[in-house]
Amino acid sequence: MSADAYSLPDMGSSSDSMMTRSAEVRLGRLFMRSVRKALPVMDDPLATSYIESLGAALVEADRTAGGSFTFFLIDEPVVNAFAGPGGYIGVYGGLVLAAETESELAAVMAHEIAHVTQRHLMRSFEDQSKLSLPTMALLIAAAVLGAQVSPDAGAAAIAGVQAAALQRRINFTRDNEKEADRIGIQTLAGAGHDPFAMAGFFERLAKATRVYESNAPEFLRTHPVTADRISDSLGRAEGFGVRQRPDSLRFQLTRAKLRERSYRRAEQSVAHFEDTLKGGRFRDEIAERYGYALALQRARRFSEAKRESDKLIASHPSQAEFIVLDAELDLALGNSADALAHLKQAVSLFPGQWPLRVAYAEALMSAGQPARAVDELKAVERVRPANAMLYEALVQAATKAGDRTSVDRYRAEKLYVEGDLEPAIRHLELALRRPGVPYHEAAQMQVRLDAWREEERDEKRRGGNPLRATTSNAR
């Protein structure tokens, strides 16, 4: 969907013209670099693809949404979510576990999407436009993520002085919160979720922590919930009516994976799932058995885990989570031929399931076939570019394959995605100077290099301030 597909509401703000499109995109990349330094971004392909698919369905249902969004999970038991510049939306694992239904999780994500589409964050710091782009990204990250960010020494003084003040502005105003609730409920209903889920989830969180205010979930600290706000949300939801929607199996499987990872020791995780399965205290037996198999795998009880995996595959033979788990267990048990055969077949049957290709590439690496792994990862990169995790995997595979050109090329792409424009250019120049680069690859890299050099020149033309927009390319 193009950024101009819909006309955004006129909010009476100059934020739409304060920053060039390319500057906002780079600001988002720099923000994500700070996020990755500060927080354990979950690079699990299956869990990531689930949160991406849920987010994409919500964006499609939001008639005000334009531009690109990136959804990712934070592997921490915190009940919170946040929206950053450039459409980056982080969801903590604790929030997924706290949500009793998929609609409740979708409600929070729809709320954060609305903060992006209505440019609440951009309007909150538009008067910071005199700052350099890296400093602004660090400042926003420090404000959004709080004390978890360790600012670089060069920007520490600025970030330390200004982050606290900006935090008070990014802690969205009452009007912003109501607006995000209103649009979020419309999005929920448009995506087929229960529009009452937002008010219900917020109210349940507030009730659960009312007595112990100091232990309130982080979400309630950054998004204060009042009785009036809940009442308004209920009133808006009534306009759509109750919509009963069963939770998807992928929602339950992702929750089981996060629950399993929440235990520090594998033995604790195994004991938890054994107890819940014996006592029948679960919402979905298939998901619970998946969590149990993952726990056994982490405990290196591979034969027991394989027995559980066989049952899961028998009940849901096309479920990507079960296919990947079964292959990982075959590899652990020394059955690499079976793992490769099953993953190759799955990739051919379900070509749109990119986590299967990543798993196949990892299996090829384990089997000593890194060059084939590079080919599989390149196929993933073609359909989902600009992914730091994927570029890192490509660098590792290309290194083992002895493909120096690909090492330089994908290291450059990783640096660019993370906001390091100048070193990205240097690495891509190095890749182009390698002998024997195929013509079509060299042509692709040259086009990329030309675009990056133009971006670098554009920043220099603005006197070191990439936010200084001109009439011709301002939003």
Side-chain angles (χ1 to χ4, degrees):
M1 183 183 298
S2 70
D4 299 321
Y6 299 105
S7 296
L8 297 180
D10 181 7
M11 304 306 296
S13 168
S14 61
S15 62
D16 287 344
S17 61
M18 67 165 285
M19 183 177 292
T20 64
R21 190 184 305 271
S22 62
E24 187 173 351
V25 169
R26 189 169 175 228
L27 179 64
R29 295 194 194 108
L30 289 164
F31 170 80
M32 273 306 298
R33 182 169 66 176
S34 291
V35 170
R36 282 189 171 274
K37 285 182 178 180
L39 298 173
V41 174
M42 192 170 178
D43 284 336
D44 180 276
L46 289 163
T48 298
S49 71
Y50 166 70
I51 210 71
E52 286 177 347
S53 64
L54 180 58
L58 292 167
V59 169
E60 186 177 355
D62 185 346
R63 60 186 179 81
T64 69
S68 63
F69 285 78
T70 302
F71 300 90
F72 57 96
L73 282 164
I74 305 295
D75 196 10
E76 281 192 351
V78 176
V79 182
N80 201 11
F82 59 84
Y88 287 89
I89 294 180
V91 178
Y92 284 82
L95 176 66
V96 181
L97 292 174
E100 292 187 352
T101 66
E102 192 169 30
S103 287
E104 290 188 347
L105 173 59
V108 177
M109 293 176 64
H111 179 95
E112 297 300 332
I113 290 169
H115 279 313
V116 173
T117 62
Q118 301 311 299
R119 301 181 66 77
H120 292 156
L121 179 63
M122 297 299 295
R123 299 206 305 269
S124 72
F125 65 82
E126 63 180 308
D127 61 350
Q128 307 292 325
S129 59
K130 294 181 180 179
L131 298 176
S132 69
L133 199 59
T135 300
M136 182 182 287
L138 179 62
L139 181 61
I140 295 169
V144 171
L145 307 180
Q148 297 173 94
V149 170
S150 297
D152 297 330
I158 296 175
V161 170
Q162 299 191 34
L166 186 57
Q167 175 69 72
R168 290 193 292 271
R169 304 184 66 181
I170 291 179
N171 281 345
F172 299 114
T173 67
R174 184 175 302 176
D175 287 343
N176 286 350
E177 288 296 275
K178 284 186 176 180
E179 185 174 50
D181 288 349
R182 173 178 60 80
I183 295 174
I185 289 169
Q186 291 174 352
T187 300
L188 270 182
H193 289 281
D194 180 9
F196 286 90
M198 184 177 292
F201 187 41
F202 292 174
E203 185 174 25
R204 181 159 53 80
L205 288 180
K207 283 182 177 178
T209 57
R210 192 164 292 155
V211 177
Y212 305 101
E213 186 175 346
S214 61
N215 293 324
E218 188 64 24
F219 186 85
L220 296 186
R221 298 176 191 271
T222 55
H223 301 71
V225 174
T226 64
D228 286 345
R229 183 177 167 197
I230 292 173
S231 178
D232 287 346
S233 296
L234 288 171
R236 294 187 185 282
E238 286 175 358
F240 297 96
V242 177
R243 300 186 182 185
Q244 296 296 329
R245 173 172 172 150
D247 297 331
S248 70
L249 178 58
R250 294 203 71 197
F251 169 68
Q252 298 292 0
L253 295 177
T254 303
R255 292 180 84 250
K257 173 171 282 189
L258 291 168
R259 179 72 68 196
E260 195 283 320
R261 293 168 69 104
S262 69
Y263 289 93
R264 294 182 61 185
R265 299 200 310 274
E267 295 79 6
Q268 293 174 310
S269 183
V270 170
H272 163 79
F273 285 102
E274 285 179 342
D275 184 56
T276 56
L277 285 167
K278 287 179 182 178
R281 297 188 300 276
F282 48 76
R283 297 177 188 172
D284 187 294
E285 184 175 359
I286 292 293
E288 205 70 10
R289 291 199 173 279
Y290 175 61
Y292 182 42
L294 291 173
L296 291 169
Q297 179 188 33
R298 180 150 64 108
R300 305 188 64 79
R301 293 161 59 175
F302 299 125
S303 295
E304 295 172 75
K306 187 67 168 66
R307 286 195 289 272
E308 291 294 330
S309 176
D310 288 342
K311 296 175 188 175
L312 294 170
I313 283 283
S315 64
H316 293 77
S318 62
Q319 192 68 39
E321 284 83 353
F322 303 159
I323 294 170
V324 171
L325 172 62
D326 197 60
E328 289 174 347
L329 292 170
D330 275 334
L331 287 170
L333 291 167
N335 303 324
S336 59
D338 288 344
L340 289 172
H342 293 159
L343 284 171
K344 183 178 181 180
Q345 181 185 41
V347 167
S348 65
L349 289 173
F350 313 107
Q353 293 265 22
W354 66 267
L356 291 175
R357 279 195 182 273
V358 174
Y360 186 33
E362 291 174 348
L364 287 167
M365 289 275 286
S366 297
Q369 302 179 51
R372 290 182 62 193
V374 170
D375 291 339
E376 290 299 324
L377 291 171
K378 283 182 178 179
V380 178
E381 192 266 343
R382 284 193 290 271
V383 297
R384 58 186 323 269
N387 184 278
M389 172 199 74
L390 184 60
Y391 290 137
E392 178 60 31
L394 273 162
V395 168
Q396 293 177 9
T399 299
K400 289 188 177 181
D403 184 351
R404 296 304 308 169
T405 299
S406 290
V407 170
D408 293 329
R409 178 183 183 178
Y410 292 110
R411 182 166 287 140
E413 292 287 359
K414 182 173 184 287
L415 287 164
Y416 180 75
V417 167
E418 292 177 339
D420 288 332
L421 181 58
E422 185 176 349
I425 290 173
R426 303 289 88 80
H427 274 280
L428 200 54
E429 289 172 339
L430 182 60
L432 275 167
R433 288 198 296 267
R434 296 280 181 188
V437 181
Y439 173 78
H440 69 283
E441 289 190 20
Q444 290 173 346
M445 287 190 282
Q446 188 62 57
V447 169
R448 198 82 170 122
L449 182 59
D450 291 343
W452 290 357
R453 284 171 173 166
E454 177 58 32
E455 187 175 330
E456 185 179 45
R457 285 192 293 269
D458 186 55
E459 291 186 5
K460 289 179 179 178
R461 281 197 298 268
R462 300 176 194 284
N465 178 8
L467 306 183
R468 188 174 297 151
T470 63
T471 304
S472 61
N473 58 9
R475 284 190 178 219

